[in-house]
Amino acid sequence: MAKSKKLKIIPIGGLDEIGKNLTAFEFGNEIVIVDCGMAFPDDDMPGVDMVINDITYLVRNRQKILGIFLTHGHEDHIGGLPYFLKEINVPVYGTRLTLGLVEHKLKEHNLLSSVKLVRTRAGHVVEAGENFTVEFITTNHSIADSVALAIKTPVGTIIHMGDWKIDSTPIVGDMIDLARLGELGKEGVLALMSDS
């Protein structure tokens, strides 16, 4: 790999707004996407049921997209998936509960049989193309089965926390994996991206 290649972090939605979470990570001829949400309309949008992202850039670069990696199952992180997948059909990676919620959405849109859903769990690592490795890490949030993602690239590691909190007594599942996050921190992190 040429050292002149740069990593692009492209927030399509969710930056400086609530909802529409969708971030693309591009390196060379490959793109991975984290989350694909929607937003609810403001009061000044009568007749609008939902707001989804403008994915024009991703449509133009569809041949580069390796997959969508989901942090959790809230609407602001998965609600835009059916509309995205009608335009760009790529594999979707997520935990059991998250993909269960996604399956319901895809069934409503008659997409379930045509979309590849890949079930993962905390601790799993996915090799995505030549330039990306995505590790799923346990976090806590107000919905079970939430994860952070450690996205390793040729120029460094990005930690995408998704929505999270530190809960030492979660009702369901394990506590956030602070030990693994600490290990990644010691290895060196290029960027930390976080909602809360």
Side-chain angles (χ1 to χ4, degrees):
M1 281 168 260
K3 291 188 182 204
S4 62
K5 289 185 182 176
K6 293 182 181 177
L7 173 68
K8 296 178 186 175
I9 300 175
I10 308 165
I12 305 292
L15 188 65
D16 199 29
E17 65 182 337
I18 296 172
K20 295 186 351 192
N21 293 285
L22 192 163
T23 304
F25 298 86
E26 182 174 355
F27 190 89
N29 289 320
E30 296 178 336
I31 295 174
V32 296
I33 294 170
V34 173
D35 291 334
C36 188
M38 50 142 312
F40 295 102
D42 293 327
D43 292 338
D44 62 350
M45 304 168 115
V48 175
D49 293 327
M50 70 177 71
V51 182
I52 58 175
N53 285 299
D54 177 355
I55 60 168
T56 303
Y57 178 79
L58 297 173
V59 169
R60 282 197 311 254
N61 290 280
R62 72 174 69 226
Q63 74 284 356
K64 296 181 178 183
I65 301 173
L66 303 172
I68 300 173
F69 295 81
L70 302 174
T71 60
H72 65 282
H74 279 156
E75 287 295 306
D76 58 331
H77 291 258
I78 67 167
L81 271 171
Y83 309 98
F84 183 100
L85 293 168
K86 285 177 186 176
E87 294 287 325
I88 309 168
N89 192 339
V90 295
V92 178
Y93 299 83
T95 58
R96 182 177 180 184
L97 176 61
T98 302
L99 288 189
L101 296 168
V102 168
E103 284 175 358
H104 180 70
K105 290 185 161 307
L106 297 182
K107 190 173 183 181
E108 286 178 3
H109 289 264
N110 297 314
L111 292 170
L112 187 55
S113 62
S114 63
V115 174
K116 181 180 180 183
L117 299 177
V118 183
R119 186 182 293 175
T120 63
R121 62 178 169 74
H124 277 189
V125 176
V126 176
E127 299 287 337
E130 295 179 14
N131 297 303
F132 294 98
T133 301
V134 182
E135 178 183 349
F136 290 75
I137 303 164
T138 300
T139 59
N140 300 125
H141 185 33
S142 58
I143 186 170
D145 234 2
S146 297
V147 291
L149 302 171
I151 304 166
K152 295 193 176 183
T153 75
V155 294
T157 300
I158 298 100
I159 305 295
H160 192 302
M161 292 296 296
D163 290 345
W164 64 280
K165 63 181 177 176
I166 297 176
D167 186 348
S168 59
T169 57
I171 294 172
V172 177
D174 297 323
M175 184 180 156
I176 185 172
D177 193 346
L178 295 173
R180 181 62 185 137
L181 292 169
E183 289 169 4
L184 289 163
K186 287 178 184 174
E187 292 172 15
V189 172
L190 180 66
L192 171 66
M193 303 180 69
S194 178
D195 294 324
S196 65

